[in-house]
Amino acid sequence: MTDVEYVTQEPIEVARLIAAVSDEERGGVLVFLGTVRRGPDDGPVRAIEYSAYEQMAEAEFARILEEASGRWPEARFAAQHRVGLVPVGEPSIAIAAAAPHRAEAFAACRFVIEEAKQRLPVWKKELFDDGSAHWRENASNAPRARGGPSPGGS
């Protein structure tokens, strides 16, 4: 784990996350970015407003990364979720994982994002071009990292 805060109101600095996990012993460095999208299934989304129970989210992210470290002890992790208004195209969540080899980095990164999507107390309100808004439910029954494919979106 790193000194990178898990919940931030600022834009996510990917380079900072990479720097937090990289070193000479870890050749597989992977970053997952979940960005706000404007897809045909989502409607004319212009931004998402994220809110969180920040203290609980910080603690839960720490637990998730501790679990990941137990599964992949040679890996290093950094993660952030942005709260507040996040425009289309900007990252709302970022996970960085570095391991000696790529397979471990991929597996570890996937574990962290899937667990974060299931467990973090973060809520999102989609804001549409027409001025309307819609609270989006978390996919609490979506497949998890241990099983099937990842749930859609961030």
Side-chain angles (χ1 to χ4, degrees):
M1 274 83 39
T2 66
D3 63 349
V4 175
E5 63 280 356
Y6 300 129
V7 178
T8 182
Q9 293 188 12
E10 301 300 320
I12 293 172
E13 295 179 41
V14 177
R16 184 171 174 221
L17 296 176
I18 293 169
V21 300
S22 297
D23 66 26
E24 294 175 353
E25 295 178 13
R26 288 164 188 80
V29 180
L30 186 73
V31 175
F32 170 82
L33 294 178
T35 60
V36 175
R37 68 179 179 270
R38 183 182 177 94
D41 296 335
D42 300 316
V45 174
R46 67 175 172 82
I48 294 179
E49 184 179 338
Y50 289 91
S51 58
Y53 183 162
E54 291 189 32
Q55 287 178 312
M56 186 182 282
E58 291 276 339
E60 193 61 31
F61 240 147
R63 280 190 287 277
I64 292 167
L65 296 185
E66 186 176 317
E67 289 172 25
S69 292
R71 288 174 173 238
W72 296 276
E74 294 182 4
R76 299 294 174 262
F77 304 94
Q80 275 193 323
H81 201 301
R82 187 172 169 187
V83 294
L85 190 66
V86 182
V88 165
E90 292 190 19
S92 57
I93 190 167
I95 311 296
H101 305 285
R102 70 180 176 273
E104 293 90 352
F106 274 105
C109 191
R110 178 160 187 168
F111 172 83
V112 173
I113 186 58
E114 298 296 348
E115 291 299 312
K117 292 295 294 173
Q118 294 293 320
R119 296 165 47 182
L120 289 183
V122 175
W123 302 274
K124 58 186 181 180
K125 182 168 55 171
E126 294 176 325
L127 306 175
F128 298 97
D129 286 346
D130 66 4
S132 65
H134 172 70
W135 284 98
R136 174 73 77 163
E137 290 186 35
N138 289 338
S140 60
N141 59 356
R144 299 180 79 167
R146 297 177 192 97
S150 68
S154 60

